């Protein structure tokens, strides 16, 4: 049985024994809360799964949300670089609550069928153009928040995805200029209600993708200069400790630059916009028999250099 014998992996150190990631120790921007602080704050994650440096304490003029941080561009980024270089006190991870690195973006753009191996799994041809759909921003939750099973669905499935976060406004962006509009990358879990995606709502995907809590993001926005190659990263999903998806972002049909060029033909991209770039094979719906998430399950989505998000299903 795929999920018999629930095994909780409590730290990435244990996970590293199974999959020795080399985490980035570069710019890892986070939104967080702490009991002694009023409201959300901006911070720097001190290495993958480390504590948090409070950017607002380092410079009280810094914005307290990632959206404002990204809108201010190079000015705020240079402050964050100075903070990274300084020897600053680190809040222990146990004392902070991680929020999604981006909350309330203008849009969450999603891409379907964007892994060659995922297309093979379904026995369908590789798309000739990107297949675009969306989630509402209200579906976003933090990296360790719970995923709530909606009573309207009996077929809730997992999907680990690489998410691109836009850093600069643009329309009709050329592929050769696209990376100049990227702030960085994070891990996404594109939770999907397959009954609503595939059979209900006229087979339009939106409702099946956008229930509340269906877009966990995090743990950090890792800036693009901190990621060696976003299109050559191991990507993995585990349910109750069992590997269900394991691939590499080099399997993506349309890379980040092509997706930005394509999407920006139709809509203006704004700082903070999130693009989910598709999922590899191994989702529950295509297993024989199909397997869906149930109350008590724990889903871990992990991408090399970016980190791991862990969501309990309730």
């Amino acid at each position: 049985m795929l999920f018999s014998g629930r095994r909780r992996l409590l730290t990435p150190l244990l996970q590293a024994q199974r999959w020795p990631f080399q985490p980035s120790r570069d710019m890892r921007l986070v939104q967080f809360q702490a009991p002694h602080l009023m409201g959300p704050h901006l911070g720097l994650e001190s290495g993958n799964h480390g504590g948090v440096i409070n950017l607002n304490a380092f410079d009280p003029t810094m914005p307290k949300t990632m959206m404002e941080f990204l809108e201010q561009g190079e000015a705020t980024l240079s402050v964050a670089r100075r903070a990274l270089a300084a020897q600053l006190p680190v809040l222990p991870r146990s004392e902070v609550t991680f929020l999604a690195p981006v909350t309330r973006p203008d849009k969450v753009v999603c891409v379907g069928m964007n892994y060659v191996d995922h297309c093979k799994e379904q026995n369908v041809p590789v798309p000739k153009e990107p297949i675009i759909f969306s989630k509402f921003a209200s579906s976003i939750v933090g990296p360790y928040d719970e995923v709530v099973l909606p009573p309207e669905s009996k077929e809730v499935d997992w999907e680990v995805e690489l998410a691109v976060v836009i850093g600069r406004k643009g329309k009709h962006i050329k592929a050769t200029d696209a990376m100049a509009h990227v702030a960085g990358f994070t891990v996404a879990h594109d939770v999907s209600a397959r009954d609503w995606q595939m059979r209900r709502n006229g087979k339009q995907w939106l409702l099946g993708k956008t229930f509340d809590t269906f877009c966990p993001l995090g743990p950090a926005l890792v800036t693009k200069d901190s990621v060696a190659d976003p299109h050559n990263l191991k990507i993995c999903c585990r349910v109750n400790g069992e590997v269900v998806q394991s691939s590499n972002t080099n399997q993506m049909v349309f890379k980040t630059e092509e997706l930005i060029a394509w999407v920006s033909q139709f809509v203006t991209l704004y700082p903070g916009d999130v693009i989910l770039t598709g999922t590899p094979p191994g989702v529950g719906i295509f297993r024989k028999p199909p397997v869906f998430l149930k109350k008590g399950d724990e889903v871990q989505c992990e991408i090399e250099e970016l980190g791991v998000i862990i969501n309990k299903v309730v």
Side-chain angles (χ1 to χ4, degrees):
M1 286 291 292
L2 181 64
F3 303 133
S4 64
R6 177 172 168 80
R7 292 210 304 268
R8 289 176 63 90
L9 299 182
L10 297 178
T11 70
L13 292 177
L14 293 175
Q15 296 166 20
Q17 294 169 11
R18 297 159 60 100
W19 191 346
F21 282 169
Q22 295 299 314
S24 161
R25 294 199 171 273
D26 293 305
M27 182 85 72
R28 304 178 60 85
L29 294 159
V30 298
Q31 290 189 132
F32 73 98
Q33 290 179 317
H36 66 286
L37 299 172
M38 286 288 289
H41 279 59
L42 269 185
L44 289 169
E45 189 183 23
S46 176
N48 194 350
H49 215 77
V52 172
I53 296 163
N54 184 352
L55 280 175
N56 299 116
F58 175 72
D59 184 343
T61 67
M62 283 281 276
K64 290 187 176 180
T65 70
M66 191 71 75
M67 293 291 291
E68 292 174 285
F69 177 93
L70 295 173
E71 285 164 0
Q72 292 182 28
E74 186 54 40
T76 45
L77 203 53
S78 63
V79 175
R81 286 195 199 99
R82 289 206 311 274
L84 193 63
Q87 293 296 313
L88 297 172
V90 176
L91 296 169
R93 202 173 182 90
S94 59
E95 293 179 15
V96 302
T97 299
F98 282 74
L99 309 175
V102 178
T103 42
R104 300 185 182 176
D106 184 73
K107 63 186 77 70
V108 180
V109 179
C110 306
V111 186
M113 317 280 293
N114 198 35
Y115 275 69
V116 174
D117 46 7
H118 185 46
C119 294
K120 287 178 182 173
E121 165 184 61
Q122 301 174 63
N123 198 27
V124 296
V126 173
K128 291 185 167 55
E129 294 175 340
I131 298 170
I132 303 299
F133 62 100
S134 67
K135 286 165 126 42
F136 293 134
S138 53
S139 64
I140 293 175
V141 292
Y144 311 115
D145 289 347
E146 294 173 335
V147 168
V148 179
L149 293 175
E152 295 80 7
S153 175
K154 298 290 183 276
E155 298 182 1
V156 176
D157 202 351
W158 58 84
E159 290 191 10
V160 59
E161 307 209 6
L162 171 71
V164 180
V165 180
I166 298 298
R168 203 172 99 198
K169 180 181 174 181
K171 181 82 190 287
H172 294 293
I173 301 164
K174 295 177 183 174
T176 50
D177 300 330
M179 289 307 288
H181 293 263
V182 172
F185 302 89
T186 194
V187 182
H189 182 186
D190 180 14
V191 187
S192 305
R194 301 300 187 193
D195 36 10
W196 284 91
Q197 178 190 358
M198 296 180 166
R199 296 192 302 279
R200 305 288 299 276
N201 194 40
K203 299 184 181 180
Q204 294 285 322
W205 291 2
L206 175 70
L207 291 183
K209 293 285 190 172
T210 204
F211 282 98
D212 290 353
T213 76
F214 271 29
C215 190
L217 294 176
L221 191 171
V222 183
T223 55
K224 63 187 174 189
D225 56 344
S226 302
V227 180
D229 180 359
H231 305 116
N232 190 22
L233 300 173
K234 293 172 186 170
I235 181 169
C236 170
C237 177
R238 302 181 191 88
V239 177
N240 303 330
E242 298 289 339
V243 175
V244 290
Q245 291 181 280
S246 181
S247 187
N248 192 295
T249 57
N250 63 18
Q251 289 289 303
M252 283 167 59
V253 180
F254 303 101
K255 312 300 189 202
T256 301
E257 296 89 339
E258 297 168 278
L259 293 174
I260 289 173
W262 179 261
V263 171
S264 70
Q265 294 178 99
F266 305 95
V267 295
T268 301
L269 292 175
Y270 292 99
D273 281 355
V274 181
I275 302 176
L276 274 58
T277 59
T279 199
V283 295
I285 184 68
F286 297 122
R287 293 175 179 266
K288 293 185 170 70
V291 178
F292 299 110
L293 293 172
K294 61 188 185 301
K295 182 181 174 182
D297 285 344
E298 184 182 86
V299 184
Q300 302 177 340
C301 294
E302 186 165 11
I303 300 179
E304 187 178 11
E305 296 184 31
L306 303 185
V308 60
I309 61 177
I310 304 171
N311 306 104
K312 185 84 173 280
V313 179
V314 298

